Structures are given as structure tokens and as C-alpha cells.
Amino acid sequence: MRAFSYERPASIEAAAQAAAGMDGAKFIAGGTNLLDLMKLEIERPTHLIDVNRLGLDRIEATPEGGLRIGALVRNTDLAADERVRRDYALLSRALLAGASGQLRNRATTAGNLLQRTRCPYFYDTNQPCNKRLPGSGCSALAGFSRPLAVVGVSDACIASHPSDMAVAMRALDAVVETVRADGTTRSIPIADLHRLPGDTPHIEHVLEQGELITAVILPKPAGGKQIYRKVRDRASYAFALVAVGAVVQPDGTGRVAIGGIAPKPWRKEAADAELPNGAKAAAAKLLEGARPTDDNAFKLTLVERALSAVLSEARG
Amino acid sequence: MRFDTPATTNPIDQGKVVGKPIHRIDGPLKTTGKAVYAYEWHDRNTRYAYGYVVGSAIAKGRIRSMDTAAAKKAPGVIAVVTTEAVGELKKGKYNTAKLFGGMEIQHYHQAIAVVVAETFEEARAAAALVKVDYTEEKGAFDLAAAKDSAVEPEGGGASGAGDFDAGFEAAPVKLDQIYTTPDQSHAMMEPHASIAAWNGDDLTVWTSSQMIDWWRTDLATTLGIDKEKVHTMSPFVGGGFGVKLFLRADAVLAALSAREAGRPVKVALPRPFLMNNTTHRPATIQRIRIGAGRDGKITAIGHESWSGDLPGGGPEVAVQQTRLLYAGENRMTAMRLATLDLPEGNAMRAPGEAPGMMALEIAIDEMAEKLGLDPVEFRIINDTQVDPENPERPFSHRNLIGCLRTGAERFGWRERSKKAGARREGDWLVGMGVAAAFRNNLVLPSAARIRLDREGIVTVETDMTDIGTGSYTIIAQTAAEMLGVPIEKVAVSLGDSRFPVSSGSGGQFGGNCSTAGVYAACVKLREAVAQKLSFNSAEDLIFAESEVRSGDRRMPLAQAVADEALVAEDRIEFGDLTKTHQQSTFGAHFVEVGVDVATGETRIRRMLAVCAAGRILNPITARSQVIGAMTMGVGGALSEELVVDKERGFFVNHDLAAYEVPVHADIPHQDVVFLDETDPMSSPMKAKGVAELGICGVAAAVANAIYNATAIRVRNYPITLDKLIKELPEIS
């Protein structure tokens, strides 16, 4: 870990300004991902801006009938919130499928969205990795790729996004609220938050330097059956090989987002439209243009079968 | 004491303390955090420095140059010790890969420098500043690709009887299959860690070792100093499973850097170093051929295994159980060893037998199906009471049949569907599997010192280690039984090279051998007591309730030490009984699994192990060993694999997030049954081992249960869902 300076600003605006003014600055919230990466020198911030005490830890009803989730709401608190459990069960289930109790106590809503890939080559600083060291190459393409992405990938990077929560947020049409250094705010639909790797896999989202996520807004409840099915090698404390987050209405329509297969939570409107026609049709749309490796081609079959199980559970 | 004739009735047979379910005497220390592990030793008056290791970034080649200027200038840095500056070091007797010294790189994450600083964080930060220039060489990293270049290992290891080729050819029912097991990591909880302190030429090392004397000897060899100058301590060890049998880099680096820094230095190996810096269980490719008559009797059995290691290393002896487990007159086993430039392969819990049984016990299941026999019955039909390669040599005691029958009864084996893929509960395909468990009983000499003091306290000193197994407790039980005192009066001191050399912990020999050493020392102490109290002979004396009795004469034990404490020391040495008789432990594993019909995820529903392993010294600690081994077996079946990057030559998934061992949610109710037996050939304790027996066969029982559930036969471990999903039933 490199030495760094640290500050705990008094306001959201001050935090954004502080970060904007310094290239190596980063926000720190729960630190469950950032600190690990700093110890390995994968992240080397020169300055940390602690946003834990900015009052961003509340969950409030919105005038539109939705929920405004503060960026610093801990995963445990979010999963346990009565309104979330009642109206956004998908989110609660996705959160509880992730990490461990200890990590969820610490991890935050915004931090979870921005967590970085668990690609093993990203984590080993001796190995080429375009995401960690742009231009060095991708070790995973010809190496160990079983847990990695099959859609949305590029020749530069096949890393997958590890979040469970983000999959639920994507299916629930969440919107990310931010504040920029100049004090202006903007709303970013979660679909637009993460970028695909292309030839710049080190740039993972659309936030500007200094732009701070303050909240995640959920629109009014979507109803239907809300199912989160996480498929993994062991029963707990493992990242998803494939995760299906679905909202299915009694008439068979609905929406579905997939985790574990792409550099971002993966959803296609065309696939949603096919849901009434069954898993095969929807999966075909979700996986259009897939570029699997020999190691992870099984995910194509797994997406379809897991989705089939989810739709059948929704019907039952 | 020389043990070369079968044990007769002795004080252990009283069973007043030995064999009782006594909770760990060191339990409260552990649950209150007062048990001190290697890295935690902390003397308030000592200013420790902290070492952080730098590992090689390449798998094979040479270091051209090292630049430590930036690291040396970094805040808090006291010293930087490099492999370049230290130069070639001698290698310990038990090490295959060199641990440190010189410019040659043999494997990824080989230790090449240690940076010492005032704090751990400063050392870690400075370690990242060491710049290394390498000349990389092409290496061999893929066992399958290197298979054809594999040669017969030193010492051969091939065995046989009858005419295998002819016997197999003539058999009316045949099986010929290839099975593979991957590289596996010990993944113990406590990482390797050492503190080294020099006092002149005297070196003290607090470390985490299963074998105190091996470490001490090999550390002295590596450093080129006199063994008598080295003092090693490991009173508590947070798991080892074989990766702490042999000296590791942390101890060498701590010693070298403490000398350089001029003060005590703490060095722990970071978790990723476990996989690529230390040792692992090597991958195997195994071919098994079995021929049988239609009556179900095996007539030919052949088992070949290929594995790889660094030059000078040995094979994974995955065929050794096949020499002994089942009858059959025509037999053959052989091993081939390839040179691989991966980290060193070496012992991991039940080396040889664990991966060997993973393959053999699927093969037996497949063969039973070909013969239309229940797999339990097929195993019973082929039981043998003699070494099948050497029929004049009987087993000392063998009750595999009892394990299988008891297990089948208790588990409800008759409920198993005879047809594979036929039982479904909701979304789950449900199946049951069985496998035999088999592990040889090894014996090593073991010494102990016993002191009976004027307060009536019995103190046992031996360099035996307790790696979570319960050594403290069973040793206290042994001394209490032998001397007729309550267990509360026994103090046990372990894991210190100032104490008599024990068997150490490994190969499931530690429990039996170390208590036998304590038995021997207690016999000597009883003689001293008898003499002191003017009894004619120690032989007929009864030591009970803190008294010494012979006929009508009773004397308080305390009287023997009224003037001064008595001390006795002895060592158990084993004669030829392991040669004249085959000593092994036996068991049967029963497993029920559910396989998700949509995703192919396998989850364990029930497990039972029945073990026949001689006298069980303490059913609580023995059960703990077996359920831990069953859990590790589940990992081997379903998730554990060190993934080799065949280009770059290293284990990619080198942390506990990516190398998935079972978590609580993976492990359901586990039952363990010990058959009531003793084996007088094994030692005066009449005990054998259970800690490795418990893992042998588990993975195959899981594999067989998956087959029974799905009708899909997977012969390549681990059995992950991607190996099932293509063949699962259609779902709507």
C-alpha cells in the first residue's frame, strides 16, 4: 500500500470539490473493495476523501412513490429495510446473496455499484492486464476465464462485473444521482452508469473526476414476482457464475437482468419483450453477439436454464 | 521402549480416561484468544521489526539483476535481504524447491527478497519498490502435455502379482477408464509465519510447524549453522494438512533478516504465497483397469498414475491403496513422474491415497454397475484379509466389511435408487453414493519426558505438535491413565525443540505414535515410583486414584515424590510388526446429494462416515478430525482446483476468494461412527489414525452420488456444474 493523505470533508460539495482538484484522489466509503486493492497496489490513490459522515445514509420515500437510497446506506440495512423487502424484494434478495454478513455490514450502496472486477489477473500485479495497466495485454483471454464475461467483452478485456446488487438495480430501473465539483447534479440511469471495455477497459463508468454518487433512486414498485437466482460453485460466499434477476408479472411479461456474464449488469429490452415466449427466446436475445471462451461457454447454456427455472418459479 | 511384539493387556485398557469424550484441555485458551500462535508472540520489551517477502514474477528462469535502492530509501526500512546478496544456500533434506538464495528461479512466487521495516505496512510498501530484471525461460506447466515424457520415478514403485495383462484380457467384464484430479491447496487457516531472534550465535524461531525436529534440522542446514544453536517453538498451529511438514521460506527469511537487522523480525507469508510459494497436492492422471468374473470377483486390477514435480521431487503415490484394498490374483500398479516447473508438489492430507481413492472408488462404482451388483456388496465380495500382492502377510486388523454394513444400515442405503437419474424431489435430482475409506497406518519413533512433582502435578514434555487435532488432550489422557491421576493434574507442554523428539504431526501417525511415546515414558516413571516406594516390581502395580496398589498394599503416589520430583524419559521405537503385518485403517463414506436439475449445482444433503481405526483415544477430537476431513473431501469433489495458467506457469486462483473451499452453507449434517476395536499390532495404545482416513474416499462417494442422481459420470475433478450441464435433462 502506498502512503496517502486523508480528509473527511464536512459537506457533499466540499467532497466533490476536493476530489476534482486532485488527480489521484478517491472517495472511500465502506472500503471493502478499495482497501484490498490498495494493499495489493492495484489502486494507488494519493488522497482519500472519506464520505462516510455526509448524512448519505438514509432511505426515504420519493414523491413519485419510489425510494431514494442514500449512497452510504449499508448493504445490510438496505436488504433489511421493510419497504425494500415488501416492494423491491428482488433488491433485498440480491443483496443477501452477496458477500458475507460482515462485508454487507460495511459495504455501501454506491460502493457496491462501483466495485471492481474479481478477474484473477486483475488481482495479480505480475500479470498483464489492460484494466490495471492499459496496453499490457489481457492474460485471461488465453488463460483462466471460467468466471469471466461472455457478452459485452472486447479483445482488450473479458472481465465481469461482480455485483449482485447492481443486477437487481438494473432490473428495477434504478437511477443514480450524483453531485459534481461545480455543485451541479445529474441523474444517470443505471443502464448508462457502466461502460463496456472496448479498448479502454480501465475506464469503467461515466462519472467524472470528483463526481460523487449521492443516492440511488428506485421508481415506484414494479410489482410482479421478484426472483433473484444466483448460480455458483459453493452455496455461499462466492461470486455468481450466472445470476438472474427477474420481475415477472402475472401475464408473463416482465424484465430480466443477468449478472456474472458481462462487464456490467446485463439487460436487453429485446429480451424483456421475449419473456412471455420463454427462456430460450429471451436468452437468445440476451446473449446475442456473445464471445465466450472455451472455459466459459457453459454460461450460455446456464443463462438459458437458470432463466427457465426462474420463469417456472414465477409461474408456480 | 521397543515395540516389536503385539501389545498385551496394559493400563490403557482400563479405559478410565483414554477413550473418554473429554473436551480439549486447550479449548478455553483457544476460545478466549489466549493461545499464542507464531506471529503473535510479543514481548513488550522487544522491538520487533517486520519483514515482507518479495516473490518471483516469473515461473522459470534467472534473475539478471535486482535494484533495491528505492526500497532501502523508503520510510521505516531497516534492511533489504535479497536472494542475490545471500547467494546459494544449502537445501534442507525435506525440501525439493530451494526456499531462498541464488539467482535461479524454479517457480512463480519463489522468495527472492525480504524487506524489513519498523512496521508491517512500511515493509509491504517498500517491498513493492524492489525492481527485478529477469531472463525468462520456457517451462513445462501442463501435466497432460508432459505425460508422454514422464519416466519411472526413482525407486520405481511398480508392483504386481500374477499376470495382469492376461488376467485382464480374459475377464468377461472389464473397465478401462482415465480419471484426473487437479492440483489442490492445503488452504489452512493460519498462514506460514515465523519470528526469528538471534542471541549471538543462538537462534530462536517461533514458527508454525507440524514437525519441530525436521524444521530445526533443515533450518540449520539451510543457514549453515549447528543444529544445537537453533531453538524452535510451535506450541499452537492453526492447521497444516501437510504444508507445514517441511521447512518453509518464512522461517529462513526471518532468520536471515533478523541477523541483518540486528533485532527480532516477524515474517508471515501473505495468503497468495500459500498457493505458489509453498507446496500443494499435485494433479494426477490415472488409468484404472479392472476385470472381474460374472460372480463379481475381481480377477485383474491395474492402476497407473502420472503426476509431475520439480526436478528432484517425487510422484504423487496415487496407486498405493490399490495394492491393498481389494482382492484379485492378477495385479499391477505403476507410477510415472513428469518434470513440471510449477511450485513444489508434496504431501497434503492423505498424500497418495486421497487422490488415488478419488479415482479408484469411482472405478469400483462403475464396475459394480457393469456387474449389476450393489456397490456395497461388490466391495464386500472383494474384501481381503491378507496383502493381495503378498498373501502370507495378513492385515493386523481389517474390518472394512463392518464399516460398509454398519454404514449401509445407518444411512438407509436400501432407499437408494438402483437406477441412476431416477429420483427427483422438486427441482432436485437426488442420489446416494458410497465409497470405501482406506489409509495406511504409519509408525514413527516418538519420545517424551514425564515429571511428577511434589505437588502431585504430572508434566509431559514432548516436541509433538497440536495442529488443531487434539494432541494436548490425548497426551494428557494417556498420562492420567498411566499414572492414575485426574486429568486436571496433568500439564502438557508441546512444540518446543528443547523437549524430546516426537513423531510430530502428519500422515495420521501423530495421535498413536506420540501417545505411545508418552506411554513409554510413563512406564519408566512407574518403575521409578515403584522403586521409590519399595515395591518389588512395577509390572503388577495398579496406579489409581492417586495411589499405587499391589495386592493389599496401598501407597499414596505423592509419597514417591515427598523428597524430590521424579523425572522419566523414554522413546517408543517400532520393530517389524509393520513388515510382518499390513497395518491400515478402514472406513466407509455414504453421501446423499441433490443436483439442481436446471443449473447442475450440486449440494450435499447428508453424509456418514463409519471408521475402523483401532482404539479411539477421544471420540470428541477424533470426530472433529473426521468431520473436518469429510468437509475437505467435499471441497475436493465439488470445487477445489488450483487452476494452472499453462502459458505463464502459475496457479491463477491464489487466494481464498478464488480457491473455493466449502463454507458452512455447503456442509449439512455429518454423522461419524467409530467401530469399537483395538489393534494390538499398532502400538501399546492399540490405536491407529483417523485424520486422513476421513478424507479418503469422500470425493468418490460424492461423485458416485452425483452419478446416481443424474446418470452423468464425471471422471475429472472437481465436479463443477459446467461438467454436468450439457447432459442434464431438458427443462421446460
Side-chain angles (χ1 to χ4, degrees), chain B residues 655-680:
Chain B
D655 59 39
L656 292 183
Y659 183 85
E660 292 189 8
V661 300
V663 295
H664 281 93
D666 293 301
I667 301 300
H669 184 72
Q670 297 171 311
D671 267 328
V672 181
V673 174
F674 295 110
L675 297 186
D676 189 11
E677 65 170 43
T678 55
D679 190 339

Side-chain angles (χ1 to χ4, degrees), chain A residues 1 39 41 120-121 124 126-127 143-144 146 229-236 238 241 298 301-302 305 308-309, chain B residues 57 108 124-125 128 596-599 601 603 643 645 648 650 652 654 660-661 666 720 722 725 728-729 732:
Chain A
M1 187 186 278
K39 289 173 191 170
E41 299 208 1
Y121 296 98
D124 188 332
N126 290 323
Q127 307 305 329
F144 174 51
R146 182 173 179 270
R229 178 74 167 91
K230 181 173 180 177
V231 183
R232 43 184 158 176
D233 287 324
R234 63 180 171 193
S236 177
L241 293 168
F298 74 93
T301 316
L302 186 57
R305 293 183 71 99
S308 176
Chain B
Y108 189 68
R124 184 176 57 188
D596 188 293
V597 68
T599 63
E601 289 162 290
R603 300 290 181 250
V643 180
D645 185 310
R648 304 273 300 148
F650 73 112
V652 184
H654 50 53
E660 292 189 8
V661 300
D666 293 301
T720 43
D722 46 296
I725 197 159
L728 287 171
S732 56

Side-chain angles (χ1 to χ4, degrees), chain A residues 42-79:
Chain A
I42 296 160
E43 293 274 11
R44 292 180 292 191
T46 55
H47 186 67
L48 284 185
I49 299 160
D50 185 340
V51 296
N52 279 290
R53 300 193 191 174
L54 299 178
L56 297 172
D57 55 355
R58 285 186 286 278
I59 305 173
E60 300 155 322
T62 65
E64 292 77 23
L67 278 186
R68 185 175 194 280
I69 302 160
L72 270 287
V73 173
R74 310 283 159 179
N75 289 175
T76 297
D77 297 330
L78 184 57

Side-chain angles (χ1 to χ4, degrees), chain B residues 362-632:
Chain B
I362 295 183
I364 291 291
D365 200 64
E366 294 194 68
M367 197 63 194
E369 188 180 38
K370 280 176 188 276
L371 288 159
L373 285 170
D374 182 284
V376 170
E377 291 308 315
F378 180 51
R379 288 176 171 90
I380 289 171
I381 288 170
N382 289 289
D383 187 53
T384 174
Q385 292 294 316
V386 297
D387 172 354
E389 288 179 0
N390 204 352
E392 68 277 12
R393 187 167 167 262
F395 280 93
S396 60
H397 186 81
R398 169 169 166 140
N399 193 7
L400 175 61
I401 292 177
C403 295
L404 288 162
R405 290 229 190 277
T406 304
E409 177 65 29
R410 294 230 187 180
F411 200 67
W413 181 250
R414 71 173 74 100
E415 304 298 319
R416 170 181 172 268
S417 165
K418 288 190 170 47
K419 189 169 176 299
R423 182 174 159 204
R424 182 154 172 183
E425 292 178 17
D427 294 334
W428 295 99
L429 305 170
V430 179
M432 290 189 204
V434 65
F438 174 88
R439 170 74 166 127
N440 282 329
N441 184 55
L442 310 177
V443 287
L444 270 72
S446 194
R449 186 157 58 222
I450 315 279
R451 178 188 167 92
L452 175 63
D453 68 22
R454 294 172 62 184
E455 288 73 42
I457 303 292
V458 175
T459 303
V460 186
E461 291 176 336
T462 165
D463 84 352
M464 180 61 186
T465 49
D466 188 325
I467 61 172
T469 41
S471 310
Y472 279 103
T473 311
I474 57 173
I475 284 172
Q477 286 174 274
T478 304
E481 191 81 78
M482 290 298 290
L483 301 175
V485 300
I487 194 167
E488 295 75 21
K489 294 283 186 192
V490 182
V492 181
S493 295
L494 300 181
D496 191 315
S497 62
R498 291 171 299 192
F499 302 153
V501 175
S502 72
S503 63
S505 298
Q508 76 172 15
F509 51 68
N512 177 43
C513 297
S514 71
T515 53
V518 172
Y519 173 96
C522 285
V523 167
K524 267 212 169 155
L525 189 73
R526 286 166 62 113
E527 286 163 2
V529 168
Q531 200 178 16
K532 203 85 181 171
L533 297 180
S534 305
F535 284 97
N536 290 333
S537 144
E539 292 220 346
D540 305 326
L541 293 187
I542 294 168
F543 284 62
E545 293 160 34
S546 301
E547 283 186 346
V548 186
R549 300 169 187 165
S550 176
D552 293 339
R553 189 172 168 225
R554 296 173 165 220
M555 300 283 281
L557 184 62
Q559 199 163 318
V561 285
D563 304 330
E564 56 173 350
L566 288 175
V567 179
E569 180 176 334
D570 201 7
R571 179 171 118 122
I572 189 95
E573 289 168 15
F574 296 90
D576 286 341
L577 288 174
T578 52
K579 295 199 181 80
T580 58
H581 293 75
Q582 176 56 40
Q583 297 185 16
S584 304
T585 60
F586 301 90
H589 289 290
F590 291 81
V591 174
E592 184 177 279
V593 302
V595 179
D596 188 293
V597 68
T599 63
E601 289 162 290
T602 299
R603 300 290 181 250
I604 308 289
R605 291 159 59 109
R606 295 191 291 138
M607 302 182 82
L608 165 69
V610 182
C611 303
R615 186 195 305 280
I616 297 304
L617 301 174
N618 181 329
I620 293 180
T621 55
R623 179 177 182 278
S624 168
Q625 284 301 294
V626 176
I627 64 172
M630 291 159 80
T631 302
M632 206 171 202

